[in-house]
């Protein structure tokens, strides 16, 4: 594995991250993830507004944020639901704040970010249920929010991409597009890329297996809404953009998911980032590819927002 000097610098930095107040392996994992994103994401762009929301669903309140981009010039904006990664066990507003701000300004879309429930405290389908409820809420309340209900798409990264696929499968043609950033699509972890990168960088196979075990019980291992690689019917799946990283254990399952969609007749565009590692969009302070990915997504979303249903 030949790594660029920039990636080597990132990995050296990650090796030095230590969590001194972790209570257990799960707590340490979450704090490491937070620390990585805080230190490497780079400058947070200013945006017009962030609205704090609580979405009522089945007797509980789902925390959410609505990011309004700079330079809004239309009365009915397009919108994007963003579903964060973190192996189904980590992630929050703050871990993805810098990315979501950039995407809001680059796409010109309002972005709804859902603080969905995490495993192992809340295994499948709790997180998916929250993402579904939030997306349906946005569709139902779009008009009152100044959003065009016919101009809404979804973006998910890593585990969030798995959740995004499950959302679009259930909502079918109600969403304009989906963007899947280095998707976690297969719980078996038996691909060639998992063999090559079993010890990293960034991810490792031991933690990958543990995360999936926390997320899904034995009865859900064959559920395609939990494990996207098992989806057989991609009927009514919206146009899809999939971003992959070369040195990523999730690379091969992302490629297989792409192939499955193409074979089903889905309009799929892929972009493979040479030399990159999993999570590179969190590394904007050191990697120019993080901004390049934002720009690629913005071009794709703009094209699809302009396409009539």
């Amino acid at each position: 594995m030949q790594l660029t000097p920039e990636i080597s610098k990132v990995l050296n930095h990650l090796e030095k991250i230590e969590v001194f107040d972790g209570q257990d392996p799960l707590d340490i994992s979450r704090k490491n993830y937070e620390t990585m994103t805080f230190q490497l994401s780079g400058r947070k762009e200013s945006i017009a507004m962030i609205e704090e929301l609580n979405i009522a669903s089945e007797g509980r309140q789902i925390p959410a944020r609505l990011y309004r981009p700079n330079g809004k010039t239309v009365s009915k904006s397009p919108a994007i639901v963003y579903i964060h990664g973190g192996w189904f066990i980590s992630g929050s507003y703050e871990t993805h704040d810098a990315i979501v701000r950039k995407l809001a300004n680059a796409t010109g879309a309002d972005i709804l970010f859902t603080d969905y429930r995490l495993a192992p405290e809340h295994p499948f389908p709790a997180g998916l249920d929250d993402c579904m409820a939030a997306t349906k809420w946005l569709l139902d309340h779009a008009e009152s929010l100044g959003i065009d209900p016919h101009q809404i798409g979804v973006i998910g990264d890593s585990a969030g991409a798995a959740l995004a696929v499950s959302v679009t499968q259930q909502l079918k043609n109600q969403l304009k597009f989906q963007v899947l950033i280095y998707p976690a699509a297969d719980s078996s972890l038996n691909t060639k890329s998992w063999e090559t990168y079993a010890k990293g960088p960034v991810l490792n196979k031991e933690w990958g297996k543990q995360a999936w075990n926390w997320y899904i019980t034995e009865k859900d291992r064959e559920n395609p809404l939990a494990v996207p690689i098992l989806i057989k019917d991609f009927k009514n799946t919206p146009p899809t953009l999939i971003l992959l990283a070369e040195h990523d254990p999730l690379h091969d399952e992302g490629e297989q998911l792409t192939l499955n969609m193409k074979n089903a007749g889905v309009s799929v565009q892929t972009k493979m980032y040479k030399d990159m590692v999993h999570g590179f969009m969190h590394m904007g302070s050191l990697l120019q590819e993080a901004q390049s990915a934002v720009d690629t997504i913005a071009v794709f979303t703009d094209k699809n927002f302009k396409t009539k249903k």
Side-chain angles (χ1 to χ4, degrees), residues 31-70:
K31 285 185 168 63
N32 274 331
Y33 186 64
E34 290 171 359
T35 303
M36 177 195 77
T37 61
F38 295 164
Q39 293 184 5
L40 296 180
S41 289
R43 180 181 65 86
K44 292 184 178 182
E45 294 184 6
S46 64
I47 60 172
M49 184 186 301
I50 297 177
E51 300 177 39
E52 302 285 348
L53 305 169
N54 282 292
I55 298 170
S57 175
E58 298 182 352
R60 64 180 300 272
Q61 299 289 318
I62 304 170
R65 280 182 177 178
L66 188 61
Y67 288 73
R68 306 280 194 174
N70 290 328

Side-chain angles (χ1 to χ4, degrees), residues 72-149:
K72 179 176 176 176
T73 59
V74 295
S75 58
K76 287 188 178 181
S77 302
I80 296 168
V81 176
Y82 193 98
I83 306 177
H84 72 79
W87 265 137
F88 309 106
I89 62 172
S90 302
S92 65
Y93 293 139
E94 296 309 320
T95 58
H96 286 71
D97 188 53
I99 292 174
V100 175
R101 286 168 179 261
K102 286 181 180 179
L103 285 169
N105 285 335
T107 62
D110 294 343
I111 297 186
L112 182 70
F113 186 100
T114 306
D115 192 16
Y116 62 86
R117 287 171 291 176
L118 300 174
E121 296 89 345
H122 304 284
F124 177 87
L128 176 58
D129 288 346
D130 289 352
C131 294
M132 279 294 300
T135 306
K136 287 180 178 178
W137 178 88
L138 184 62
L139 288 163
D140 291 342
H141 294 81
E143 297 277 0
S144 64
L145 294 166
I147 289 169
D148 185 342

